Amino acid sequence: FPRMYDTTGTNFPPFIGSNHAGPNTRGPLTSDWTKPCPLEWTTAERDDKCISLQETIWGSEMLKRLESIKTTVDPDFMFDCYGCVGNSLPPEEKTAVDGAMFHHFHVGLLIGTLTAWLWNI
């Protein structure tokens, strides 16, 4: 990784294709991009101390841009899923809209509902 990318800056580069990402995929340590994220750590430790899955796919700059678009297009977070852009926001930011609490519709449920509806027409 350090031979291919500048590991001294603050803009983490995208380097994993989304089709190669799994549930345990993380980037290197946030404190040292030359060291991999240990697999023996808990999910919470990995989430806290390693570059996120989204950031390894999109890179720092593009992820910020995509999160901004997501918030603009879907302010109520109707379309939300594990590992998706905007899913890394704290729960209170996702659910509080004008002081009201909104139920999250998960993408899988939405797709299943739409598929069932299409089969019935």
Side-chain angles (χ1 to χ4, degrees):
F1 187 81
R3 292 181 191 160
M4 296 172 54
Y5 299 101
D6 177 14
T7 59
T8 61
T10 58
N11 180 31
F12 190 80
F15 76 97
I16 292 178
S18 59
N19 61 327
H20 295 285
N24 294 319
T25 304
R26 302 290 187 289
L29 297 177
T30 53
S31 61
D32 185 350
W33 294 355
T34 64
K35 295 184 178 162
C37 187
L39 287 173
E40 62 272 8
W41 283 359
T42 66
T43 301
E45 286 177 303
R46 293 166 56 81
D47 288 346
D48 184 48
K49 298 176 183 176
C50 301
I51 301 290
S52 73
L53 169 62
Q54 294 173 0
E55 201 165 353
T56 61
I57 293 171
W58 300 108
S60 301
E61 288 180 358
M62 180 61 79
L63 181 59
K64 287 177 191 168
R65 182 168 182 243
L66 290 171
E67 286 175 338
S68 174
I69 292 168
K70 163 77 169 146
T71 303
T72 302
V73 173
D74 184 21
D76 298 337
F77 289 87
M78 279 187 62
F79 302 104
D80 199 9
C81 66
Y82 177 77
C84 293
V85 170
N87 193 55
S88 60
L89 296 174
E92 61 275 4
E93 288 185 35
K94 291 183 194 177
T95 56
V97 179
D98 295 330
M101 298 303 283
F102 286 82
H103 175 71
H104 289 222
F105 288 93
H106 294 278
V107 173
L109 177 62
L110 180 62
I111 290 171
T113 303
L114 289 174
T115 303
W117 178 77
L118 286 172
W119 279 102
N120 289 321
I121 44 176

